Structure formats: C-alpha cells, structure tokens
Amino acid sequence: MSVALTSSTATKAVAAVNGYHTNGNATSNDPSIERVQIIDDEKRFTSDLTPQIERWGLQNAGFDYDIVAVFGSQSTGKSTLLNRLCGTNFDVMDETRRQQTTKDGRERGEDQDFERKSALFSLASSEVLIVNLWEHQVGLYQGANMGLLKTVFEVNLGLFGKKSADGRSQRTLLLFVIRDHIGTTPLANLQATLTADMNKIWGSLSKPPELNDRQLSDYFDLSFAALPHKILVPDKFEAGVQDLRKRFTDKSREDYVFKPMYHKRIPADGVAFYMENIWEQVQSNKDLDLPTQQELLAQFRCDEIATVALSEFNEQAKPQRKPIESGKVVEGLGNMMRSWKAGALARYDRDASRYHQGVYKRKRADLISVIDSTISPLFLGQLKNLHKACLVSFKKEMVDGMRGDSYDFAEIVKTARTRCEKRFLEGAKEASLEDTDWSYEEEFTLLSEEVKNVADQCRKDETKKMVNVIERNFKRNISEPVDLYLNKATPDMWDKVLKAFRETLEKAESSYLTKAKSFSCTDEENATALSTLRKRAWLALRSKIDEQTSDAAFLAKLRTHFEELFRYDEHGVPRVWKPEDDIDGAFKKAKDRTLELIPLYSKISPIEPSLAYTLPSETSDSLSAEADDFDFPSTLLIFSETKAVDLTNRFRKDADAYYVEAKRSTVATMAQIPYWMYGVLVVLGWNEAMVVLFNPLYFAMLLVLLASSWFIVQMGLVGPVFQVLRTVGNEIQRQVSNRLREHFSEAALAQPVRTQPIEDQLENDEIKQEVRVKRERF
Ligand SMILES: Nc1nc2c(ncn2[C@@H]2O[C@H](COP(=O)(O)OP(=O)(O)OP(=O)(O)O)[C@@H](O)[C@H]2O)c(=O)[nH]1
C-alpha cells in the first residue's frame, strides 16, 4: 500500500504540502481512500493523521507501507500522475479552465522559507521523490525548478549527511518523470542531461566541511521515466503510466522503486508522530538530526506501547489482588504471572521492536522492571499466605497424628514438617518468576522456625500430658501401700512407706524415659521433667499422708490403737471388766502407748537412714504455670508441736470416755442378780413347777411352747422374735409407766440409790465435769 504526498514547484512548494490535500473533500465515503491535509494553510500539523492512518488500516502495518512525494512545477500533471500510479483521488485541474489545484505561492505571498521547509519535509518523510517535469524543461535550470532542488540537496545533506545510529546512510530515490515526451530526444539523452545537471548542482552545493567529499550517489539514486503526451497520444500516455505503475507495485522488478533501503524504518503507527516532529523541527529551523528524531520517536512510541501493554497486564493482574490480600493461596499464580508478563512483553515486542533498537531495549528493560514491581506484591502476598496455610496444615497434621493412644511423636513431627516444607517450597518456586531477584528464602526460614516452635510446643504439651498421666498412675499406685503402712503404726512404718515410694517412683521414671525417647526430648528437658515428676510424686505422697493424718483420721487411728490395747487382751479377745480388774493400770498403759504414736506420725523419718528421701528445695514444677514456693524439709513435718499437743488433748478426752465406759460396765456387772437367788427361786418355785408338769393342760401348753421355741430356733427367727418382744415390752413398759406416773407422785418414785459418783474416780477435771453434766442431764 502506498501513501502519496505531493510537492510543487519552486514557487508552489509551500502550497505543495497543503496542495496535497487542498481540495481535500473526500470524493468517496470509503475511509480507506479518504484524504487528509497534513499541514494546513496556517502551517499547523494536523491532529487527524493518526486516526486517518488507522482508518487506512495501516496502524499495525509496521514497515509495510511506503511514502512517495512529488515535486514539480505547477500544473505539470502531478495529481494526474499520482491518481494513476497510486490510486489516489486528488483533484485534477479542469483542462478548460487552467486553474491550479495546488495553492499558489501568489495566494500566500512569496514565501521562500515555507517553500524550502515543505520541500525539506517532503524529502525527509518520503522514500521516493518524483521530480515531475515537461520534456522541454530538461536542461533549463530555472524552468525545471532546479534552484529549489539545489536547496533541497543542500538541506538534505544536513539531514542525512550523518550516518544513522545503525551505521547506514539514509538513501532516497529521485525518480524523474519526463512528461510529454515526444520521442525526438531519446530518454537516454535526457537522462544524461539530467544526471549531468544533478551532479553540477551537487558540485555547487555549499557542504559542511566534514561532508565535503561526499558524492550525490552517496545519498541519492537517480531513476528516470518518460510519459507520452497525454492530449496528443492519450492511449500511449495511459499505457506508459500503467507501465510506470508496475515499478510501484511489482516487487519482483529490478527497477521497483520502493526498495527497502529507501525506507525510513518508521513503523506505521509512529509515522504521524515522526512527521509532526520533523515538521516542528523544520518549523523552528533547528538543525535536523534524523537519528535523534528517530530516537525521540522511539522513546515516545515505546512509552506509548509499553503503557498499553502495561494497562492490559494490569487488567489481568487486578482480579488476583483481592484473593491474595484476603489471605488466599492462589493456585497457579506463578503460571498466571508468567503468562501476563510474557503477553505484555510480546505485545511490546510486536509493536516496539521496529523502533530504534537502543531505545526499544532500554524501554523494554523499564517495562520489565515495572511489571516485576507490579506483581512482586502478589508474589510476596502469595508467600505469606502460603506460609500461613502451611503452618495451619502442619498444626492440624500434628493434632490429628496425636489423636490416637499410641503414636510416635518424633515420626509425626518429621512427616508433618517434611510435608509442610515441601508444600511451601513447591508453592514458592511456582510463584517465583525467572529473571527476577525475588527470593523466598527469608519466608522459608521464618516458616521453619515457626514449625519448630509449634513442634516444640506440642512436645512440651505432650511431655506435660505424659508427666500428668504418669503422675496419676503414681498416685494410684502409691495410695494402697501408704494406706496400708500408715494404718498399722509400727516403728518402721516410714521405712516401709518410703521404700514403696521409691519403688513406685522408679517405675514412673523409667516409664517416662521410655516414652520420652520418641519425643526426642533433650537431656535438659528430660532432667527438668524428671525433677518435676519427682517433686509431684513427693507431693502426691505427702497429700496421701495428709489424708491419712487428717485430724479425724488420725484421732480415729489413735482410738483404734487405744481400743486394741485397752478393750482387747493380748490374744485379741474383748475384755469384760470385773470390779477386781486393774482398769486404771490398763487404761494408763494403753493411753501412754497410744500417745507414743503422735511423735511417730509427726515426722517422716525412717529408721534406716539410706531410705531417707531428699529433694532440692529449688525444684520447680516447670510443667505447671503456677508459681510455687516448695520447701522440701517442711514437707517432712506432719504435725507441729502445737498440733501434737492439741491432738494429745483431744485423744485424752476420747480415752477418758473409754475409761468411763469401762468403769460403768463394772457397775453394771455389780448390779446383776446374785447366784444364790436362783437357788431360792428353785426352792420356792418347786411346787409351781410340779403343778405345771403334772397338770395335762399346763403340760400340753408347755409342750406347745417348747415346740414353738424349737421351731423358732430352727428357722433362725430368734432375733426377730426377741425384737418383737422387746418392742412390745417397751411399749407395755411405757404404757405402764405413764399410768403409774398418773397415780403416784414424783417424790414417791424418785428414790435414787446413793452410790459414790463415778466422776470422783477420774483424774481429769475437765472429764469429771463433763461426766457430771451428762449424768445430771440423764
Ligand atoms: N499536456 C499534458 N497535459 C497533462 C498531462 N497530465 C495532465 N495534464 C493536464 O494538465 C492539467 C493539470 O493537471 P494536474 O494533474 O491538475 O496538474 P498539477 O500539477 O496537479 O496541478 P497543480 O496541483 O495545480 O500544480 C490538467 O488539465 C491535466 O489534464 C500530460 O502529461 N500532458
């Protein structure tokens, strides 16, 4: 596809730029053939070029476009030629009216400067500059407008004299189209004349000193074409134009005009900006340095392209920001980021790689760094979320693993840690992009530390649990021996208790050590746990002892002991006190021996010194959060002195009560019926017994009575029958008493037997008083 650009004669060169589009009303609605006036009458560059390039469908054409400019005197058929060569629709002057379509210099006044600038602009922009002239103008310096050409060459040297950044000189094709060629003078001759003229002009140029030795051929290729007379031989003219057109369209031809070396290498999407820049430079009369222009253009365009690529990239990245910020691990984030980045770079490369390579590469590096810095928060967020998720699943795995009764703690930690770290590393690697300085090492170290802390905490909890279980078992195991030994007060009682304590503790310790192996506890931890265990065991023992030596329990023990001594004889037979028995002596002995137990129980002190157990006082319970002030020696003491005195007193009261009871029982024995009374009864009751035996009725009743008694005894109903009888008797007695009370006065009934009061025989005044009160109340 070609874009045509026209220029004009020396006087019309200014108009030429405008003239390209002067009558630029579209003759068709087809946007692909719409025209645009690039520079208006006010020398302003149009803002409509970029949209027009899009409408032409050239936006993404890259280098696949060409620019041709035409240069020539007024009304030399420039529009006619371009319309035929390039399919444009420039207005052609009406042949009958001879009014030019390109605005004349006369209309805008003689503006040599604008003329020069427009020529300059045309040359800088196009690959092929058509120099359009009548045959008869050949060899005529003024007529062929060679003055302007000279200027163009001079400026051109300023423009293209220097080599571009990539080392090549910008070349332009000058295509001389000789119009109304009659044929008298062969084209070769005309060509030679024009070439000679060109070289002459070149020679007369005032060149910059450093370019003094440069030839015309260093910058320009000359090419020639002749067209027959359009009016006289229209058919031949049209055929000639069609033939010339092939040089514009057929790439395979050797004389194809748009050779790549003439191309300005400006991508189509940057042409507008490039042209505008050139025009601005031309306008401000600055020295035109095309390589710099190309660089400037590249910077501008690369920025634009990068911005587009970046906005597309941001659109893609945006939806992932929320889930990551909300703490979610986005699966396949790395792949997504990779594909966004690759997409953005591909987009950039496609459009920007055609521009100045240095700029393109520099901007590409900038783009990469912007992309990386945009997605690096996603990467960091993903790492953080991964860290959290891995830690949570590690904890869960630990908890699940420790749910059963039998498990290998070390194995559970190992498996869970390996899985957690593997998951993190896989996720982190997936999210890391190549060619970045992103690192997940720090996060990984943090995770490893936290995993270790969690594992340590679990181990501590487990150790605590284990110590608690062992402690419970210990308590269970120590309970029975302590009960047994403390209930039987013997001098070596504490030896037995401590021996049982040591044995049970040894078992508990070895059970701890066996289990602790799978926990991979350190020696230090083991030492702490064992010392805690010992302390707790000791306290458990002590609490068991406390249970056995509580006031009530201990007094009961003393009473039992005393009873055994006082109420039972040495064979364990209960004593029945007789008046002649030495109750006082037995009482004193039993009491003294019982009181001996108080010092025995008051302190944990074995007879065998090796059995004595000690714990360092600073032993702390590292597995319990409670602060404690443990003082081992004080735990050996069961009763204080005061407490011992108190217990002694309380026991004495109990013992005295026993003594009173014993004394009473002798009084009760004394109150029994004397044996001789039974003899008197037999003698006096003999007659009555005989009557019963010899009276058939009484005898039968006696038999019935005896049979009933035998039956009751056989059925084991003696107890219930006595109970019934007792109840009935009591009731009768109560009834009789009531009746009697009604008939007799209290004075007649109250005739107490005067005996010496029992309390007078007691030693203790307090007990005396108590017995007295009780008796009076009774
Ligand atoms: N004799 C002759 N006349 C031509 C030729 N080509 C075009 N014309 C006629 O010349 C007149 C001017 O043609 P244009 O194509 O408008 O010329 P132009 O150079 O574009 O004119 P301006 O833009 O006004 O400078 C028209 O009437 C054409 O028909 C040619 O090769 N020979």
Side-chain angles (χ1 to χ4, degrees), residues 74-80 92-93 95 98 100-102 134 179-180 229-231 237:
Q74 191 196 336
S75 301
T76 44
K78 300 182 289 292
S79 301
T80 308
V92 174
M93 192 183 75
E95 279 173 17
R98 300 304 297 171
Q100 86 277 17
T101 55
T102 309
W134 302 120
R179 312 293 289 265
D180 287 357
H229 201 291
K230 182 174 179 285
I231 313 295
F237 170 78

Side-chain angles (χ1 to χ4, degrees), residues 135-149:
E135 184 187 2
H136 59 79
Q137 283 179 318
V138 175
L140 298 176
Y141 187 80
Q142 280 307 323
N145 215 354
M146 289 304 160
L148 181 60
L149 256 188

